[in-house]
Amino acid sequence: MATVHDIYVAAGFNVVTAVAFLLAFAFLRLQPVNDRVYFPKWYLKGMRDSPSSAGAAVTKYVNINLRSYLKFLSWIPAALKMPEEELIEHAGLDSVIYLRIYRTGLKIFVPITILAFAILVPVNWTNDTLESLKVVHSDIDKFSISNVPYGSKRFVAHVVMAYAFTFWTCYVLLKEYEIVATMRLYFLASEKRRPDQFTVLVRNIPPDPDESVSELVEHFFLVNHPDHYLRHQVVYNANKLADLVEKKKKMRNWLDYYLLKFERKSKRPTTKTGWLGCFGSDVDAIDYCKSEIEKIGKEEAEERKKVMKDPKSIMPAAFVSFRSRWGAAVCAQTQQTSNPTTWLTEWAPEPRDVYWNNLSIPFVSLTVRRLIIAVAFFFLNFFYVGPIAFVQALANLEGIEKALPFLKPLIETPSIKSFIQGFLPGIALKIFLIVLPTILMYMSQFEGLISQSSLERRTASKYFIFLFFNVFLGSIITGSALEQLKTYLHQSANEIPRTFGVAVPMKATFFITYVMVDGWSGVALEIMRIRAFVIFHLKNWFLVKTEKDREEAMDPGSICFYWSEPRIQLYFLLGLVYAPVTPLLLPFILVFFALAYVVYRHQIINVYNQRYESGAQFWPQVHLRIIVAMIVSQLLLLGLLSTKGLEEATPALLVLPVLTIWFHKYCKNRFEPAFVRNPIQEAMKKDILERAREPNFDLKSYLADAYLHPVFKSDDVDKFYVADDPGAEEVIVATKRHSRRTTPAPSVQSKQDGSDRLLLPESVLER
């Protein structure tokens, strides 16, 4: 178990590491050769020129202006200087609301830390209970509730503080939810025109023996939305074609690399034809790449023809666009038929947000896929119990000495002992968690979600559940069991719950080490962008020939919401749980929130280029997870006090979870609709204003290929679409359905208003 000295050593090591990372960043960002690594967003916006475009040779790579080094910390005030309104315009609402999570953490925990240290720390410290119980403990544990005597009246202070912490947290959450909901509605109202504002995704279109999917969609919406339907785009199963396009792109990159290598060395390079170019026979690399590109090109052409002509490649889904936002809002938020399982409509993601691979998954298989993933996720949680127990064994020196007795002399060295107990468990846990978010993302993709934002939100939910059960509860249970094993073996069964209740607060020392490793050094490492730094310079050295190549070599990245947000929620959970139990953890969490806010604000301003904009749709989940953390903290305090001889406090503490759940339901009913539905009134207002300002705007052309699969946008494949045919306005879609013969009016209407019909049969086109 970590002692005060061990925590000092770990804190010193992590502070030195974090400061070293920040100083290295401050130096590297000033070098012209790294400008595109640390300021890629400004290059993408066209607001920054490469410093290497002019000047002496040395100045293209190294900054020789000594005065600039005197202001090496100027990035900190610069990151805090940009106003929030300007930041929304610069980076989007998602990025700004993401930063508000850190601000919310500071708003919650700064007053809680002050109260806890002013009241609870003296109450806990002025006792000697741990000495009398003879349990394994350190001096740090004297700051915890475990040091308060059994049945003491001092526990009233903890109950009162639990109420104070709950009310303050609820107040902050209420204000933040109100602010974020207002910002979202204002953002949507003032947002520029986007295709998703006019478009609805229709899924589970019922099959019809007489009409194709395209004809069926057109007929349905001309009949049921005759005044508002504009056009549609059917969904293709083009996954194999997309793989071929990506494969050819990679092969072209290798060809560029070998051509550049040939130019520099005047010797034709060679490669192996086997796996990863490491096995097989040697061949001329340039000729091999050209032949492979030609081969893949033929496969791509054949697959493209197959996708365009094979009816099986068209999925029972379509993106349907309307003449107004009002028409799209009505369609997206209403049931289309008496059968609630067909013609399912939802708001289309913005084109950048669409995850095209999953649109080809049959809708009827989604339930089965989600069941499979639920079972797999359960076993994944079970599998990680082993690594978590191993990490807790590292935190317990006795376990290491028993497993590896020959290391005992080395472990007993004071400096090595402090390093192991104060640093090694945290870094080991972080290593075990590195690949987990990627695994969870693959699981979410298998579930069939159709947008990147929904994939990230679903993955974030899974990751938070994992962190809660394995990292939080798993660490507490396994760690307490390992540390107090001797005590458990030599006492009666009736005394075990009491000993366990004493041991739980003492796991704060492990979480302190984890917060320092992950929340201090980890955040400081983020700003250095080591991976992007290495990849950019490798590409710049081996592949870049033109300025366009240099731009493509940049990797601005984006906020990885699916793993970064659950990590923040873990700190909320730790802070709220240990605030009334072991307040010593709170300052370490405050340092994380403050440091992360500054670092990520800098990254959002200068580096990250968001792949999509969801309008802060993730905030209800952020709010819910903080509520869960509050309820867990209240229940754990309730159980802890029941083992400390204060059963009479149970009714008082039971009120807190009830009030918290009621507060969550109030916020859900009051604010969540703003994140789920789009107000019809606001849609109509925006339509009226837009028509007044731009009466002649060609919306059909604007939406023409917004939801066309990306693999069809690279070539001249748009010629297959009647939307690009000037004579398409005069074509009436033929139908064999009897219902169509009795409803000619919509077809006349479609002829008059110019609604699009896509993928007409050849017989119709020949007429």
Side-chain angles (χ1 to χ4, degrees):
M1 179 177 291
T3 63
V4 174
H5 180 263
D6 299 335
I7 296 299
Y8 283 153
V9 171
F13 183 84
N14 283 283
V15 167
V16 170
T17 303
V19 170
F21 288 152
L22 295 175
L23 290 177
F25 160 74
F27 173 80
L28 292 173
R29 65 183 284 273
L30 296 175
Q31 310 311 313
V33 71
N34 299 325
D35 208 54
R36 290 180 181 269
V37 177
Y38 296 111
F39 301 97
K41 189 162 192 170
W42 298 104
Y43 282 94
L44 294 175
K45 286 178 170 286
M47 301 175 66
R48 194 178 182 97
D49 295 325
S50 177
S52 62
S53 59
V58 66
T59 60
K60 295 179 181 180
Y61 302 99
V62 181
N63 184 357
I64 59 175
N65 182 6
L66 298 181
R67 289 187 177 182
S68 62
Y69 291 97
L70 299 177
K71 301 179 180 180
F72 67 97
L73 294 179
S74 61
W75 65 272
I76 297 177
L80 301 174
K81 188 177 180 181
M82 183 178 286
E84 199 167 66
E85 295 79 9
E86 185 179 345
L87 188 56
I88 293 176
E89 182 70 22
H90 176 70
L93 186 64
D94 280 345
S95 299
V96 172
I97 300 305
Y98 175 79
L99 290 174
R100 287 198 75 91
I101 303 176
Y102 295 105
R103 289 178 58 182
T104 302
L106 291 172
K107 289 179 181 179
I108 290 175
F109 288 114
V110 168
I112 286 179
T113 302
I114 295 173
L115 273 177
F117 270 77
I119 298 174
L120 294 182
V121 169
V123 170
N124 296 338
W125 176 257
T126 54
N127 296 282
D128 57 357
T129 304
L130 292 176
E131 297 292 341
S132 61
L133 283 177
K134 298 181 180 180
V135 296
V136 179
H137 69 279
S138 68
D139 292 338
I140 294 177
D141 300 321
K142 293 180 180 179
F143 292 96
S144 73
I145 196 174
S146 300
N147 201 37
V148 179
Y150 182 84
S152 173
K153 297 300 182 183
R154 294 190 176 198
F155 288 120
V156 175
H158 299 83
V159 175
V160 173
M161 286 297 99
Y163 270 86
F165 297 161
T166 297
F167 289 155
W168 173 249
T169 304
C170 289
Y171 173 77
V172 173
L173 288 179
L174 178 66
K175 291 299 181 182
E176 287 297 312
Y177 216 148
E178 184 178 4
I179 292 171
V180 173
T182 303
M183 291 174 67
R184 171 177 164 81
L185 292 175
Y186 179 79
F187 176 78
L188 295 177
S190 60
E191 192 179 21
K192 296 179 181 178
R193 184 187 295 109
R194 289 195 331 192
D196 56 294
Q197 298 169 353
F198 301 89
T199 306
V200 169
L201 174 62
V202 185
R203 307 184 77 182
N204 211 26
I205 299 172
D208 191 289
D210 299 322
E211 289 188 329
S212 66
V213 173
S214 182
E215 293 170 333
L216 191 60
V217 170
E218 183 202 26
H219 175 254
F220 181 87
F221 284 95
L222 282 175
V223 170
N224 296 289
H225 298 268
D227 299 326
H228 302 284
Y229 167 72
L230 179 62
R231 71 186 310 278
H232 68 273
Q233 172 63 63
V234 293
V235 174
Y236 294 95
N237 182 1
N239 291 351
K240 184 176 179 181
L241 178 59
D243 292 339
L244 290 172
V245 171
E246 184 64 24
K247 186 177 179 182
K248 187 168 73 171
K249 181 181 177 181
K250 291 180 179 178
M251 193 57 65
R252 282 176 174 168
N253 289 338
W254 278 111
L255 178 60
D256 291 340
Y257 165 72
Y258 287 126
L259 288 173
L260 188 61
K261 188 176 181 180
F262 178 58
E263 290 177 5
R264 290 175 176 174
K265 295 186 177 181
S266 299
K267 180 182 178 181
R268 293 186 72 85
T270 60
T271 186
K272 294 183 181 295
T273 58
W275 183 65
L276 294 178
C278 300
F279 302 96
S281 57
D282 287 326
V283 295
D284 184 281
I286 296 176
D287 293 339
Y288 174 74
C289 289
K290 288 181 178 179
S291 64
E292 285 295 308
I293 291 172
E294 183 179 358
K295 178 182 175 182
I296 297 171
K298 291 179 181 179
E299 294 179 11
E300 179 188 343
E302 292 176 2
E303 182 64 23
R304 193 183 297 278
K305 290 179 182 178
K306 179 182 176 182
V307 170
M308 299 303 299
K309 294 183 178 180
D310 188 0
K312 294 182 180 179
S313 297
I314 300 177
M315 305 305 298
F319 291 100
V320 180
S321 298
F322 294 81
R323 299 183 177 281
S324 63
R325 296 173 180 83
W326 187 91
V330 170
C331 181
Q333 298 168 177
T334 55
Q335 182 174 313
Q336 301 303 304
T337 67
S338 57
N339 184 353
T341 63
T342 61
W343 295 100
L344 304 177
T345 56
E346 59 182 290
W347 279 107
E350 68 158 320
R352 294 180 304 167
D353 193 18
V354 177
Y355 187 70
W356 295 97
N357 290 349
N358 282 357
L359 283 174
S360 62
I361 298 175
F363 186 82
V364 293
S365 68
L366 296 182
T367 302
V368 177
R369 284 171 169 263
R370 287 167 187 169
L371 177 61
I372 293 172
I373 291 302
V375 175
F377 181 63
F378 170 80
F379 283 105
L380 181 65
N381 275 271
F382 185 77
F383 170 78
Y384 259 86
V385 171
I388 296 299
F390 172 75
V391 170
Q392 292 304 317
L394 290 179
N396 182 19
L397 286 183
E398 292 183 1
I400 299 177
E401 291 174 355
K402 287 181 180 179
L404 303 171
F406 62 90
L407 293 179
K408 184 174 181 179
L410 179 64
I411 292 175
E412 292 299 330
T413 304
S415 58
I416 300 297
K417 180 180 178 182
S418 298
F419 175 80
I420 292 176
Q421 292 196 316
F423 181 77
L424 192 58
I427 193 66
L429 179 58
K430 189 169 178 61
I431 290 172
F432 279 123
L433 296 177
I434 284 178
V435 298
L436 182 64
T438 303
I439 296 173
L440 297 179
M441 175 58 78
Y442 284 134
M443 296 173 71
S444 298
Q445 291 171 355
F446 182 81
E447 287 186 84
L449 300 172
I450 52 91
S451 67
Q452 296 182 55
S453 57
S454 60
L455 282 171
E456 293 210 3
R457 291 196 297 273
R458 182 66 62 86
T459 305
S461 298
K462 290 185 178 71
Y463 194 26
F464 175 74
I465 293 172
F466 179 90
L467 292 176
F468 174 75
F469 282 105
N470 280 277
V471 175
F472 178 67
L473 289 182
S475 296
I476 288 176
I477 294 172
T478 59
S480 300
L482 288 172
E483 290 173 357
Q484 308 300 333
L485 184 59
K486 284 186 178 180
T487 307
Y488 293 155
L489 295 176
H490 295 86
Q491 65 182 189
S492 64
N494 294 333
E495 293 293 321
I496 290 179
R498 181 182 173 188
T499 304
F500 185 76
V502 172
V504 168
M506 296 191 294
K507 286 309 298 175
T509 54
F510 166 74
F511 290 118
I512 287 174
T513 63
Y514 178 73
V515 170
M516 287 189 292
V517 172
D518 180 68
W520 295 9
S521 300
V523 170
L525 184 62
E526 170 66 23
I527 203 170
M528 281 193 65
R529 309 195 70 226
I530 292 179
R531 179 178 176 273
F533 178 89
V534 173
I535 291 176
F536 173 78
H537 285 297
L538 287 175
K539 288 183 176 180
N540 193 39
W541 179 258
F542 293 108
L543 297 177
V544 169
K545 292 185 289 185
T546 64
E547 282 298 314
K548 183 180 179 181
D549 295 336
R550 189 169 284 107
E551 286 186 9
E552 293 179 352
M554 290 190 305
D555 179 22
S558 61
I559 299 171
C560 294
F561 180 82
Y562 65 94
W563 68 263
S564 61
E565 191 271 342
R567 180 179 70 172
I568 305 172
Q569 295 297 340
L570 177 62
Y571 292 125
F572 275 105
L573 176 64
L574 294 176
L576 291 171
V577 166
Y578 280 99
V581 173
T582 310
L584 195 64
L585 180 65
L586 294 175
F588 297 90
I589 291 178
L590 281 181
V591 172
F592 161 76
F593 279 116
L595 178 62
Y597 178 73
V598 175
V599 167
Y600 280 100
R601 207 172 201 275
H602 172 274
Q603 300 295 82
I604 285 171
I605 292 173
N606 299 297
V607 180
Y608 296 150
N609 185 42
Q610 281 302 99
R611 295 175 295 171
Y612 59 83
E613 177 59 59
S614 70
Q617 279 190 314
F618 56 81
W619 186 261
Q621 292 185 348
V622 173
H623 176 88
L624 173 62
R625 287 194 266 272
I626 298 177
I627 292 292
V628 170
M630 290 172 59
I631 295 174
V632 169
S633 69
Q634 294 155 1
L635 294 178
L636 285 180
L637 180 63
L638 174 63
L640 185 61
L641 291 182
S642 67
T643 66
K644 303 286 284 185
L646 202 70
E647 291 82 0
E648 58 269 21
T650 299
L653 287 175
L654 276 177
V655 175
L656 287 179
V658 175
L659 290 177
T660 304
I661 293 172
W662 175 85
F663 168 75
H664 171 63
K665 288 191 173 182
Y666 168 79
C667 291
K668 184 180 179 68
N669 295 331
R670 172 65 181 85
F671 301 113
E672 191 169 320
F675 297 84
V676 179
R677 305 183 185 93
N678 286 6
I680 299 292
Q681 181 185 31
E682 297 298 324
M684 179 61 77
K685 284 181 181 179
K686 198 161 185 177
D687 287 334
I688 294 173
L689 287 173
E690 200 167 86
R691 281 195 289 267
R693 292 171 181 169
E694 302 176 83
N696 299 320
F697 180 76
D698 189 358
L699 184 61
K700 186 194 304 183
S701 298
Y702 175 73
L703 298 172
D705 62 349
Y707 287 96
L708 185 64
H709 198 291
V711 296
F712 296 128
K713 293 182 180 180
S714 58
D715 301 320
D716 295 328
V717 293
D718 289 354
K719 63 185 178 183
F720 289 97
Y721 293 84
V722 181
D724 295 333
D725 184 355
E729 301 283 347
E730 305 301 327
V731 179
I732 299 177
V733 177
T735 179
K736 298 179 181 179
R737 299 180 70 238
H738 294 282
S739 61
R740 185 63 183 269
R741 296 175 185 173
T742 60
T743 56
S747 295
V748 176
Q749 174 71 23
S750 67
K751 181 176 180 179
Q752 293 173 350
D753 61 22
S755 299
D756 279 348
R757 283 156 295 281
L758 305 184
L759 291 178
L760 300 182
E762 293 180 1
S763 59
V764 177
L765 290 175
E766 290 173 358
R767 297 178 189 175

